[in-house]
């Protein structure tokens, strides 16, 4: 397996394997199945980064569920959040009175997920929770409550498994971290 890769001007090294990700998806999917105890769930998938996580984790959920998609943008071509988040959806999302779980790839500053939650809360769901594959606790410092977390990681920039560096790297099966050496 490749240990180092180059994306645009940056070098990245292997950080988390697809096997570790598979195991985490199984754990999260089984936990959601248990917690929702036969209730129907709406998964709101945050484009674009969460698509790979979403398609894998929901295969471990043994409940009736529906899927909705939302778009949030804050990074642009940078490696840090711009601080301004735009939320958009292309289809009419009907979540009133329903149990909703937002599927997010990564919570960094927490700004994106906060904006998404505020947007969805106005639609009066019965409940609203967050499942994120990655969390940078030192960056978001508990400003947002995350209910299901795959991996807690250091504040470094990662790519792969849906996550991009200026739009490339999303197709990598493993996750890579910025190599500063
Ligand atoms: P936040 O608003 O700072 O929490 O950032 C959340 C969004 O920024 C995520 O949905 C990602 O699209 C992007 N992001 C944050 N950290 C990383 C990273 O390490 N690699 C790639 N994208 C990231
Ligand atoms: Mg992104």
């Amino acid at each position: 397996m490749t240990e180092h890769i180059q994306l645009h001007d940056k070098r990245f090294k292997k950080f988390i394997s697809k096997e570790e990700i598979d195991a985490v998806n199984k754990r999260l999917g089984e936990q959601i199945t248990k917690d929702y105890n036969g209730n129907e769930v709406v998964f709101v998938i945050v484009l674009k980064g969460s698509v790979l996580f979403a398609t894998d984790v929901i295969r471990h959920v043994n409940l009736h569920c529906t899927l909705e998609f939302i778009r949030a943008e804050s990074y642009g071509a940078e490696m840090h959040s711009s601080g301004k988040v735009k939320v958009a959806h292309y289809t009419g999302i009907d979540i009133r009175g329903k149990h909703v779980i937002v599927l997010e790839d990564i919570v960094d500053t927490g700004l994106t997920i906060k904006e998404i939650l505020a947007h969805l809360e106005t639609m009066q769901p019965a409940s609203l929770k967050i499942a994120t594959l990655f969390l940078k606790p030192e960056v978001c410092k508990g400003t947002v409550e995350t209910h299901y977390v795959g991996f807690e990681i250091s504040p470094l920039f990662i790519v792969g498994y849906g996550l991009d560096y200026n739009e490339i790297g999303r197709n990598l099966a493993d996750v890579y971290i910025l190599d500063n050496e």
Side-chain angles (χ1 to χ4, degrees), residues 110-123:
L111 279 173
T112 303
I113 200 71
K114 269 191 167 171
E115 206 57 43
I116 290 170
L117 288 182
H119 184 84
L120 296 176
E121 258 158 18
T122 65
M123 301 177 189

Side-chain angles (χ1 to χ4, degrees), residues 16-105:
I16 298 173
S17 71
K18 57 177 178 292
E19 291 77 16
E20 291 171 90
I21 296 168
D22 284 346
V24 160
N25 284 334
K26 185 168 185 291
R27 166 172 69 78
L28 295 177
E30 289 176 353
Q31 188 65 51
I32 289 169
T33 303
K34 195 166 160 251
D35 292 352
Y36 285 75
N37 192 27
N39 285 300
E40 194 171 316
V41 170
V42 182
F43 287 109
V44 173
I45 298 162
V46 185
L47 297 172
K48 307 172 194 171
S50 308
V51 168
L52 278 74
F53 167 49
T55 60
D56 286 341
V57 77
I58 64 171
R59 279 179 253 215
H60 295 287
V61 175
N62 186 16
L63 298 166
H64 288 308
C65 64
T66 60
L67 308 181
E68 297 291 353
F69 296 86
I70 201 165
R71 177 104 167 89
E73 218 170 348
S74 67
Y75 267 40
E78 302 304 318
M79 282 192 163
H80 52 84
S81 175
S82 67
K84 290 188 213 87
V85 181
K86 281 186 294 185
V87 179
H89 49 87
Y90 309 113
T91 51
I93 295 184
D94 180 18
I95 58 166
R96 194 186 173 90
K98 297 182 181 170
H99 295 293
V100 174
I101 301 176
V102 181
L103 296 179
E104 179 60 302
D105 51 358

Side-chain angles (χ1 to χ4, degrees), residues 7 93 159:
L7 297 176
I93 295 184
V159 292

